[in-house]
Amino acid sequence: MPKSAKQCAAMRDEMRARILRESLRYFARNGFAGTRVADLARGIGIAQGTIYRYFDSKEDLFASVRELVANGEDVRDLKLLARLPLPAKAKVRRLSSTVLERLADNELFAASVVLNTQIMLEEEPGADGRPAPYRSELYALTARIVEQGQREGSVAAGDPLKLADYFWGVAYLYALKRLFTAGYAMIDAADLERTLLKGAR
């Protein structure tokens, strides 16, 4: 029985999403320069032409992956967390445990953290001379929680963006371990909290 237009559209959407998910993992492991569309297609288990049916070029695919990373679940959750009427200490604890749980359970989240960090590190400093990570929404939202905690006295003193950089730098390190090593030792939430909180155990 022939498929309906709605079923065909759903299948196309599913294939595009699959290509994006697998590409995210592949770009995170190999970088942009080290990614060949032929190898990516082979890894996904599809024909190379299938990728070009959805994306005009490797650059177009990478741009879509970047958009996926920039608007990912971690950023949405952090936006929500930053707005919650909670003490900063509770926000830091929730953020730390969520990041580590996702790193442990979700290779795509680890790939997203790695690729997002690599993209930021490759960008040129802004007009203000600040590095690209300090202009990212992820860092800005984390810095907002840091500033709240500094006002409340629960977060270490210092430049909020540098502290956000330190927090996400540790997350990046463990995301790399998640992607590239077997049997790695994961830190616990209390270890990650120590990057920001005063007197954390």
Side-chain angles (χ1 to χ4, degrees):
M1 181 175 189
K3 292 180 175 56
S4 69
K6 187 175 179 179
Q7 288 172 316
C8 289
M11 288 173 64
R12 282 192 300 275
D13 289 346
E14 185 180 318
M15 177 55 75
R16 186 178 193 281
R18 179 179 169 208
I19 292 169
L20 283 172
R21 281 192 312 270
E22 294 301 323
S23 297
L24 166 58
R25 190 179 278 121
Y26 203 87
F27 280 123
R29 287 181 179 271
N30 301 290
F32 179 80
T35 296
R36 291 184 43 222
V37 174
D39 295 336
L40 175 58
R42 195 175 310 107
I44 296 173
I46 60 175
Q48 187 173 339
T50 303
I51 292 176
Y52 289 118
R53 188 174 304 143
Y54 294 90
F55 302 96
D56 294 334
S57 62
K58 182 171 90 166
E59 290 76 12
D60 181 38
L61 173 59
F62 189 64
S64 295
V65 168
R66 286 182 70 158
E67 185 178 329
L68 177 69
V69 168
N71 298 303
E73 186 179 351
D74 51 321
V75 175
R76 286 194 306 274
D77 288 352
L78 189 51
K79 284 180 185 177
L80 176 63
L81 181 60
R83 283 192 233 103
L84 287 176
L86 295 171
K89 189 173 190 175
K91 292 179 182 181
V92 169
R93 288 195 163 142
R94 185 177 292 186
L95 177 61
S96 298
S97 63
T98 300
V99 166
L100 291 178
E101 285 168 13
R102 287 186 183 166
L103 284 176
D105 297 338
N106 187 343
E107 187 179 288
L108 283 177
F109 177 75
S112 178
V113 169
V114 168
L115 190 59
N116 189 48
T117 304
Q118 290 170 348
I119 289 167
M120 287 190 298
L121 292 173
E122 290 172 4
E123 290 179 9
E124 295 296 321
D128 60 0
R130 294 195 82 127
Y134 290 11
R135 298 190 314 269
S136 82
E137 188 174 21
L138 193 64
Y139 278 48
L141 290 166
T142 307
R144 187 184 310 167
I145 294 170
V146 167
E147 288 168 345
Q148 176 191 346
Q150 288 172 334
R151 288 191 303 275
E152 295 169 356
S154 60
V155 170
D159 180 331
L161 283 169
K162 285 185 179 178
L163 289 168
D165 190 14
Y166 184 43
F167 178 91
W168 286 106
V170 172
Y172 171 67
L173 171 66
Y174 282 89
L176 285 171
K177 287 185 174 190
R178 171 74 170 84
L179 289 178
F180 293 106
T181 63
Y184 64 95
M186 179 60 86
I187 57 174
D188 64 23
D191 294 325
L192 190 54
E193 289 166 15
R194 273 198 289 274
T195 62
L196 299 178
L197 293 181
K198 285 182 178 176
R201 65 170 180 82

